[in-house]
Amino acid sequence: NNAGDDGFDLSTKIKNQSSISPDTDHGEISSIREEKKHSISSVIGKKYDLQTNQVRECLRPRKISVSEYSCQALPSPIINLGFPKMGSSSAHAFFGCGGLTSMHYRCNYAKACAECIRESIEAGEPPFSRCDKADAYTQIDANTKPDYSFPQIEYLENIVLGVKKATFLLPFRNMENWYKSVREWHAMKMRLARSNITGLPQGKGKTLKELSDWFCWHVERVRDIVKRNPGHVLVEYDIEDPSTGDFMGELFGIGSNCWGQANTNTQLHPELNGTSISIPWVVKNRRGPRNEVLFTESNEKEINNEIKTNAPTLTPTQSLDYSDSCFRARSDTIPTSLYNKLPRPIINLGFPKMGTTSIHAFFGCGNYSSMHYQCSPTYACGECMRRSVEEDLPPFAKCDHAPAEVYAQIDYYDTKNILHYLPQTELLEEIVHGYPNATFLLTFRSMDKWYDSVRNW
């Protein structure tokens, strides 16, 4: 796999230019190391010319023969060594749909997979020893401060050598499509360029060529180390290939209909027409009662009590046309396979007077720790969220209480400025980006009744 597109062997060429004999002095070693760095740079630059994208072997998956393995023969755990925006959410949904326990971004409630992997390795333990046990780890990189963390790069050898047998995933996609996806996904391109990642020095990663070269370097490194450790299996696949669903389904013994697109950027993929799904950070193969209620609806009795008896009603001529889909809850946003497997925290993004008290009581009755309006004795939830974001912290970081499982009402009335502050509108992007694997509630009710309730409260 080291043979370059121009016919030379990359590893041999570098080795020949940088071999160090026992008689070499330290000055010569330093010079040779600089020559080696220059050789690697020039070889990669030549080998990875963008004009040859279509023939570069490092940009094409090598599909193993399905007949070579059966579902039982593939070792576990399954670990994705690929890059972000290369179908990690789709892989996560695929294995969850197939009844496997899968982790994505977070490997327990409190920490990202990247964090517990680093802590495990620094403690001299196996790489996933401080992470929750799972059948599949479908995204292990994380947007941590100060740098974007890539365990699949920084701790590749620790992972491959520290796990006795594993199935490693290496997804591919068209580089131009990947570059567009990285560029458009919440400033990811800027975050990558700002970080100091092995193979992608700070300031690099701003162009298609730089990201393509980095990806190729990673692919060849993964192929090499897995080849040298035959207890593992490397599965390479193209997430944009229409046959990938059949290939993955047959290989892992999971229905091909479980393969699809999740967590996609709808601005780049309008053809999905809202069919893309967002998946919790953990999907577990467990049995238990399934909660068929996807959306919290306000109790009619509570609504009637909220509206004053003398409140005027709208006449038919004043009523609005509420036929638009934005006034109706969609009941198909979550696959039934994920019922009773939703992640925490649960954050209500709905508006006031839409059953927030009912939500709070509902989860409290179910023994969830729930916050409603106040997130500490001192601050309302909305106030401590605003303070957190102003200091560039996760939205709930400055709320005094221990992290709650549910935030049933986050908006509040600011008596100082005499206004109602709604973090769910003012800080929506910060909330979604700060908690990429949360369950968000969106409540609905009759607009006429909501209007009466807001007007008379």
Side-chain angles (χ1 to χ4, degrees):
N1 297 324
N2 290 320
D5 294 330
D6 55 358
F8 60 77
D9 186 304
L10 176 64
S11 62
T12 303
K13 183 169 183 177
I14 295 173
K15 182 179 178 181
N16 290 340
Q17 292 183 355
S18 60
S19 56
I20 301 174
S21 70
D23 299 326
T24 308
D25 64 27
H26 292 290
E28 289 176 302
I29 291 175
S30 177
S31 174
I32 288 173
R33 282 175 177 163
E34 287 301 314
E35 181 185 352
K36 179 179 179 182
K37 286 177 63 177
H38 176 73
S39 299
I40 293 174
S41 176
S42 61
V43 169
I44 289 178
K46 184 177 180 181
K47 183 178 179 183
Y48 300 154
D49 187 343
L50 284 178
Q51 300 301 318
T52 60
N53 261 2
Q54 69 275 17
V55 296
R56 290 161 66 183
E57 195 254 350
C58 61
L59 296 181
R60 299 193 309 271
R62 304 171 305 170
K63 282 192 177 180
I64 63 174
S65 171
V66 174
S67 61
E68 187 177 348
Y69 297 95
S70 66
C71 180
Q72 292 76 22
L74 286 172
S76 62
I78 301 162
I79 304 171
N80 182 14
L81 298 178
F83 280 179
K85 303 312 300 171
M86 285 206 175
S88 63
S89 295
S90 296
H92 181 52
F94 171 74
F95 291 116
C97 178
L100 301 182
T101 301
S102 177
M103 299 287 180
H104 183 267
Y105 191 89
R106 293 190 180 276
C107 279
N108 59 46
Y109 177 64
K111 294 180 180 178
C113 298
E115 293 180 86
C116 60
I117 291 173
R118 175 182 55 78
E119 291 178 358
S120 301
I121 292 172
E122 288 181 351
E125 301 171 359
F128 292 91
S129 62
R130 301 198 176 194
C131 307
D132 286 358
K133 188 175 181 180
D135 300 306
Y137 299 92
T138 51
Q139 182 182 349
I140 60 175
D141 51 89
N143 180 25
T144 56
K145 293 183 178 181
D147 291 334
Y148 208 110
S149 178
F150 280 88
Q152 62 266 53
I153 293 177
E154 310 300 340
Y155 300 117
L156 178 60
E157 291 195 359
N158 302 81
I159 293 172
V160 174
L161 299 178
V163 180
K164 291 184 178 179
K165 290 185 178 181
T167 296
F168 295 113
L169 305 181
L170 191 57
F172 291 72
R173 69 182 296 190
N174 174 275
M175 284 290 103
E176 291 185 359
N177 292 344
W178 180 54
Y179 176 75
K180 291 177 183 177
S181 188
V182 168
R183 185 180 59 190
E184 300 294 334
W185 189 258
H186 310 316
M188 179 179 286
K189 181 169 74 76
M190 180 185 69
R191 286 184 274 130
L192 291 175
R194 190 173 55 198
S195 301
N196 187 20
I197 307 165
T198 300
L200 192 72
Q202 195 169 29
K204 296 291 186 179
K206 297 178 181 179
T207 67
L208 171 60
K209 182 181 186 307
E210 289 173 349
L211 286 179
S212 299
D213 289 350
W214 181 47
F215 177 75
C216 277
W217 168 80
H218 177 64
V219 166
E220 296 203 328
R221 187 172 175 230
V222 168
R223 286 174 173 173
D224 177 65
I225 192 170
V226 174
K227 182 179 179 180
R228 288 187 279 111
N229 293 271
H232 302 301
V233 174
L234 180 61
V235 177
E236 303 180 11
Y237 57 95
D238 186 339
I239 67 170
E240 297 174 346
D241 186 337
S243 67
T244 293
D246 293 332
F247 170 73
M248 296 288 282
E250 192 172 355
L251 187 63
F252 289 97
I254 297 174
S256 60
N257 61 330
C258 284
W259 181 262
Q261 290 174 299
N263 204 33
T264 53
N265 187 332
T266 54
Q267 292 182 346
L268 293 178
H269 302 282
E271 73 279 2
L272 295 179
N273 193 28
T275 58
S276 171
I277 57 174
S278 181
I279 309 297
W281 64 269
V282 56
V283 287
K284 295 183 177 179
N285 177 20
R286 67 180 187 185
R287 295 182 179 180
R290 288 182 172 179
N291 180 5
E292 299 293 335
V293 181
L294 292 180
F295 299 92
T296 304
E297 298 180 358
S298 300
N299 182 279
E300 189 67 26
K301 184 177 180 180
E302 179 196 359
I303 293 172
N304 291 333
N305 289 337
E306 290 177 354
I307 302 175
K308 294 182 179 179
T309 55
N310 62 348
T313 58
L314 295 173
T315 64
T317 56
Q318 293 173 299
S319 297
L320 301 175
D321 181 9
Y322 296 134
S323 60
D324 289 346
S325 61
C326 61
F327 294 114
R328 301 191 304 273
R330 298 178 301 169
S331 60
D332 59 350
T333 59
I334 304 174
T336 56
S337 61
L338 296 180
Y339 287 6
N340 202 35
K341 303 173 184 178
L342 299 177
R344 303 168 191 175
I346 300 166
I347 304 172
N348 181 19
L349 298 179
F351 279 178
K353 306 311 299 170
M354 285 211 177
T356 61
T357 305
S358 297
I359 294 171
H360 182 54
F362 170 76
F363 285 108
C365 180
N367 293 321
Y368 285 68
S369 60
S370 178
M371 299 290 179
H372 184 267
Y373 193 88
Q374 291 287 138
C375 277
S376 77
T378 309
Y379 296 121
C381 296
E383 189 173 5
C384 62
M385 292 174 71
R386 177 177 55 78
R387 290 171 179 264
S388 299
V389 172
E390 286 175 353
E391 296 184 23
D392 199 26
L393 297 171
F396 293 100
K398 293 190 73 67
C399 299
D400 292 347
H401 282 307
E405 295 173 288
V406 181
Y407 296 92
Q409 181 181 352
I410 58 176
D411 52 272
Y412 80 107
Y413 180 65
D414 184 347
T415 55
K416 181 179 179 180
N417 297 305
I418 316 177
L419 56 83
H420 201 96
Y421 184 74
L422 290 90
Q424 57 266 56
T425 58
E426 304 298 330
L427 305 175
L428 179 59
E429 289 195 5
E430 288 83 354
I431 294 171
V432 174
H433 298 168
Y435 299 92
N437 296 290
T439 296
F440 297 109
L441 303 181
L442 191 58
T443 52
F444 293 75
R445 67 182 292 192
S446 159
M447 287 290 102
D448 291 346
K449 293 180 179 179
W450 181 55
Y451 174 76
D452 284 343
S453 185
V454 168
R455 180 177 56 178
N456 291 285
W457 183 256

